[in-house]
Amino acid sequence: MKALQVLLVVLLGAPAASGQSFHLGSCPSPPVQNNFNISKYMGTWYEIEKLPAVFEKGKCHQATYTLLHDGTVSVHNSELLTNGQVNSIEGVAKVKDPSKSAVLAVSFFKGVPDDPYWILSTDYQTHALVYSCSEYLGLFHIDFAWILARTRTLTDDVVRQQHDRLAAAGIDISRLIVSNQTGCGALGSGKG
Ligand SMILES: *[C@@H]1O[C@H](CO)[C@@H](O)[C@H](O)[C@H]1NC(C)=O
Ligand SMILES: *[C@@H]1O[C@H](CO)[C@@H](O)[C@H](O)[C@H]1NC(C)=O
């Protein structure tokens, strides 16, 4: 175990060092949203809770998805930094296998392998539950999850349902953290 941890730190840096998001063994394979309709999923989503994502440093995280003519999705992620500035990143998401419409891959940097983006559940108008898990060397996996909402708040009931979905798939929800969606001034109210 010790040797493996050292290897992980060497290979992956901070995420492994913090020990928060990697697990031995292969990825869980939770069920995804049935009959997923990507058109209805487009628009802005606000992050309510997440499994630690070390690349996110600010608050008021939100993502806006736009379906392009070629069927790919343009991704615009924004956050508010502690100095009050808005930080954004552009990416592209696509369905790789048309028979699995809720299984997307997203990429933010050219030449870097894309990351899985699975929509486990959504009603399109209120909430969405997104999961991303990658396996390394067939030995361990690193996963991320996001509970998203169409507004900056989500009722406790709906949040609990998403926790239950993740737990049922064997995903460790003790590592979920609540996102700060207050004082988002420059990014808007998230009510519209
Ligand atoms: C997906 O949703 C769009 C927008 O609401 C709708 O026009 C379309 O018919 C839906 N597609 C399917 C396959 O249900
Ligand atoms: C969220 O951000 C607000 C405004 O910047 C701040 O006052 C508050 O303490 C933060 N909440 C948490 C839980 O960090």
Side-chain angles (χ1 to χ4, degrees):
M1 190 59 206
K2 196 80 194 163
L4 181 60
Q5 272 174 356
V6 170
L7 175 67
L8 297 185
V9 169
V10 169
L11 287 175
L12 300 163
S18 66
Q20 288 178 317
S21 55
F22 76 96
H23 303 277
L24 294 177
S26 49
C27 283
S29 44
V32 297
Q33 177 64 49
N34 275 330
N35 302 318
F36 178 66
N37 184 327
I38 201 165
S39 308
K40 292 185 182 169
Y41 188 74
M42 297 297 96
T44 298
W45 288 99
Y46 301 94
E47 182 187 283
I48 303 300
E49 291 189 8
K50 67 180 165 207
L51 283 181
V54 290
F55 46 87
E56 295 180 338
K57 295 211 170 64
K59 60 171 201 161
C60 303
H61 292 100
Q62 62 185 64
T64 300
Y65 302 110
T66 311
L67 194 55
L68 304 178
H69 292 299
D70 64 0
T72 62
V73 174
S74 109
V75 180
H76 179 89
N77 283 357
S78 310
E79 63 179 350
L80 196 60
L81 301 177
T82 44
N83 66 8
Q85 278 187 334
V86 175
N87 184 35
S88 313
I89 185 168
E90 307 286 336
V92 71
K94 59 184 113 187
V95 175
K96 286 191 154 174
D97 174 352
S99 73
K100 294 178 186 160
S101 59
V103 172
L104 279 72
V106 64
S107 161
F108 290 99
F109 305 100
K110 279 207 165 65
V112 173
D114 45 28
D115 291 313
Y117 183 107
W118 293 23
I119 296 109
L120 303 191
S121 165
T122 185
D123 63 357
Y124 306 101
Q125 314 206 318
T126 314
H127 79 274
L129 178 62
V130 174
Y131 185 61
S132 178
C133 185
S134 299
E135 290 175 14
Y136 298 86
L137 310 172
L139 281 177
F140 64 100
H141 65 273
I142 293 184
D143 61 357
F144 299 96
W146 295 268
I147 297 172
L148 305 175
R150 287 298 195 186
T151 56
R152 293 196 191 276
T153 58
L154 195 55
T155 61
D156 291 344
D157 267 11
V158 178
V159 170
R160 215 170 297 124
Q161 285 164 16
Q162 312 319 311
H163 290 177
D164 291 347
R165 280 197 176 93
L166 291 170
I171 296 158
D172 181 8
I173 60 169
S174 68
R175 300 172 299 126
L176 274 171
I177 58 171
V178 175
S179 308
N180 193 339
Q181 291 287 358
T182 61
C184 299
L187 282 164
S189 71
K191 296 225 155 62

